[in-house]
Amino acid sequence: MITATRLEAAAAAVTVLSNRPEVTHWALRYFGPWWNATSVDAAAVCAEAVVIADVKPADHEEITLLVHDGRPTETVDYAKHPLRVARDGEDIIATSPDEGIAYRSTPSSGRLVLAGTDARPLALAAARLARESIRGQLLRDGWAVLHSSAVVRQDDGATVLTFGDKGAGKTATALLLASHGWQLLANDRVLVRPTGERDVEVVPWPSAAALGLGLLHSLGWDVTAREHLEAGGAFHPTQHESVTEALLAGDHTPLWENAKRERKVQVFPDQFPDLFGVPLATGGRAAGLFFPQVDADSEPDVVDGARALGEADFMSGATEDRYPDVFGQAQGVDGGGRESARAEVASRLAALPHHAVLLSHDIPASAAVLGKVADTV
């Protein structure tokens, strides 16, 4: 039996089809809270962008043999796995031995076929490529991608965008505001487009949210997370086993993979409202920019330090190195949007209120300052 999940974001849409219901259910769960995911009748899917992801070992072998039949190939890292890529006429074909998945992409039609040997990695891969399909459509339609968290005021759609380097407090700012009346739109990046004469429309970029053990504890969510695990629940499968063990032990000491990368709790989008009582938004209109700084022992306050946006505040093909557009879904548009779209977004955001905010480990005091400033946008 073929099942289907349709995703919609702004004017973009893609349908995931599969002969294994767990593949389409994964897309439904992962994108549902943010990208209007719905189960649809597979027989009624029309000629639009589709990701067909079937467990079909014979098809997997057929495409893999084509990739290895002596034609020119290139090996790239994709989603932390080596991917061998080649051409077959207008199609792009590829094989990922680690995942047991072979691919055939026809960029001109938006059709992408995955043939796998196991449903679990196939579900993850299909979701990745469905998301890339949406992004490709939006980029071609004049959208850009900001490296920003975002929260939305439910009454009027006013959206606060928060910028900063890794560790600056983008996620903490968004979650503190979302825990105090605002809706969470995104924890790390958003899609944006100039609309009307001055506005910037914002839609979320769905992803598992990475929360440090210390932040989870400071928010008072660690007990809920532990109880969820003890009851047989789970977080996103990319979460490292050591993080799960720390949660179960009630240990919120940060865990480091290396000197620069912290191992974090990986939260599904739907777990924000279901576990932590954080409401989600599906879109908004940019109304203000925050630039947080974190000093554990400081007194939270508004400070000097607001700045103009720069290239580092936009995502780009270079920064999307985990998911290079090897399947041609953006059809040549840079992964962060066209230069003209980024420039217009930057110009319009420059006219909005900018606030630099000093945060500390005093969560109630930090939330109070953020809430007071956010209420002015």
Side-chain angles (χ1 to χ4, degrees):
M1 177 181 177
I2 304 299
T3 58
T5 293
R6 178 180 171 85
L7 315 176
E8 296 179 352
V14 65
T15 303
V16 180
L17 300 99
S18 180
N19 64 354
R20 296 290 292 270
E22 53 263 55
V23 173
T24 51
H25 180 267
W26 182 272
L28 184 67
R29 180 189 183 188
Y30 199 85
F31 297 107
W34 274 326
W35 274 2
N36 307 302
T38 55
S39 295
V40 296
D41 180 2
V45 175
C46 58
E48 61 179 12
V50 294
V51 174
I52 303 170
D54 290 335
V55 176
K56 284 188 175 180
D59 289 4
H60 169 266
E61 182 178 5
E62 179 183 346
I63 297 174
T64 298
L65 288 174
L66 276 177
V67 173
H68 291 275
D69 70 355
R71 67 189 67 212
T73 63
E74 177 188 10
T75 299
V76 299
D77 287 332
Y78 190 85
K80 296 185 177 181
H81 297 287
L83 185 72
R84 193 164 182 177
V85 185
R87 304 288 304 212
D88 185 35
E90 71 167 312
D91 289 355
I92 301 165
I93 56 176
T95 183
S96 173
D98 290 356
E99 299 171 290
I101 302 173
Y103 303 82
R104 178 179 289 275
S105 173
T106 309
S108 61
S109 67
R111 178 185 175 92
L112 207 155
V113 176
L114 288 69
T117 58
D118 182 72
R120 179 67 173 274
L122 188 65
L124 295 173
R128 282 196 300 266
L129 289 169
R131 185 171 59 188
E132 292 302 313
S133 176
I134 292 281
R135 177 176 35 190
Q137 293 174 58
L138 293 178
L139 293 179
R140 299 196 306 271
D141 196 31
W143 292 72
V145 186
L146 285 174
H147 189 199
S148 163
S149 68
V151 292
V152 176
R153 187 163 54 213
Q154 184 175 6
D155 292 346
D156 59 2
T159 302
V160 170
L161 301 170
T162 302
F163 298 87
D165 296 332
K166 183 182 291 293
K170 293 190 300 297
T171 297
T173 296
L175 293 180
L176 285 174
L177 287 171
S179 299
H180 290 77
W182 290 67
Q183 296 176 313
L184 180 65
L185 186 77
N187 74 293
D188 184 64
R189 69 186 70 181
V190 291
L191 289 145
V192 289
R193 180 182 66 170
T195 185
E197 294 184 1
R198 297 188 305 273
D199 288 343
V200 174
E201 184 180 359
V202 188
V203 298
W205 173 256
S207 65
L211 309 185
L213 288 165
L215 175 59
L216 199 77
H217 175 70
S218 297
L219 291 166
W221 294 355
D222 52 332
V223 173
T224 301
R226 184 176 71 248
E227 292 174 347
H228 174 65
L229 292 172
E230 290 173 340
F235 290 99
H236 195 274
T238 56
Q239 180 170 297
H240 196 274
E241 184 178 333
S242 63
V243 176
T244 303
E245 292 171 352
L247 285 172
L248 287 169
D251 184 358
H252 54 269
T253 306
L255 297 171
W256 296 93
E257 185 173 318
N258 52 49
K260 296 183 179 180
R261 185 177 180 84
E262 183 181 357
R263 289 174 175 165
K264 298 183 177 182
V265 182
Q266 302 292 325
V267 181
F268 276 104
D270 66 354
Q271 289 176 327
F272 279 112
D274 292 349
L275 286 181
F276 304 124
V278 171
L280 302 182
T282 58
R285 169 189 51 80
L289 281 61
F290 278 18
F291 300 90
Q293 309 165 42
V294 178
D295 184 337
D297 301 320
S298 67
E299 181 176 347
D301 200 357
V302 179
V303 296
D304 293 332
R307 58 172 175 79
L309 296 187
E311 281 297 316
D313 296 306
F314 288 85
M315 305 304 292
S316 70
T319 56
E320 296 293 354
D321 54 352
R322 286 186 63 187
Y323 307 114
D325 188 23
V326 293
F327 297 109
Q329 291 171 295
Q331 297 183 23
V333 179
D334 182 82
R338 293 188 176 92
E339 184 176 348
S340 58
R342 295 197 299 267
E344 182 61 23
V345 166
S347 174
R348 295 188 181 199
L349 293 181
L352 299 178
H354 289 43
H355 301 285
V357 184
L358 184 63
L359 307 178
S360 75
H361 288 179
D362 185 336
I363 293 300
S366 294
V369 168
L370 288 171
K372 183 177 180 179
V373 178
D375 286 343
T376 67
V377 302

